[in-house]
Amino acid sequence: MIFNTQMAAAVFAACLDRTEPFERIYMMLFSHGVNSVGVTPIDDWRGLLRRAQKDGEFFSVDERAYPHDFAVFARYSSELAKKIKSYYPWPPAMALA
């Protein structure tokens, strides 16, 4: 997503409609501090997370404070390390040709 707008939520929902269901969806929301026109409400984001087969949850987001949750940026790295336990190696580099 570029920004937490209703357009971004609609594009994400359309992507979920076109693909096989994801087992897990983790989402961090950019809290920019205002309830501006077009910002997607937290309940709409929760609805998209519920489309995961197993786990769908926010990470580093204080749902009560969104979109005024400036601490989201400070919590991001530690929360990501706690929730995402599996890492996969990078694929080999492709030849320039």
Side-chain angles (χ1 to χ4, degrees):
M1 294 183 301
I2 296 171
F3 211 60
N4 301 335
T5 62
Q6 292 171 348
M7 182 185 299
V11 169
F12 183 45
C15 176
L16 292 174
D17 291 340
R18 290 190 309 268
T19 62
E20 294 294 319
F22 289 94
E23 285 188 11
R24 293 174 179 81
I25 301 173
Y26 297 111
M27 185 183 300
M28 181 231 178
L29 298 175
F30 176 76
S31 286
H32 65 288
V34 273
N35 292 324
S36 57
V37 173
V39 170
T40 305
I42 196 77
D43 285 336
D44 292 356
W45 292 119
R46 284 187 196 117
L48 292 170
L49 289 174
R50 283 193 292 274
R51 295 180 63 177
Q53 287 183 325
K54 291 184 180 180
D55 299 316
E57 59 187 283
F58 295 112
F59 67 89
S60 74
V61 175
D62 180 344
E63 297 176 48
R64 296 176 314 250
Y66 170 83
H68 309 281
D69 179 23
F70 297 116
V72 69
F73 306 109
R75 293 188 301 265
Y76 175 79
S77 292
S78 61
E79 285 282 321
L80 184 62
K82 286 180 198 172
K83 291 197 187 232
I84 309 296
K85 300 289 184 190
S86 299
Y87 294 92
Y88 299 94
W90 286 96
M94 295 175 61
L96 186 58

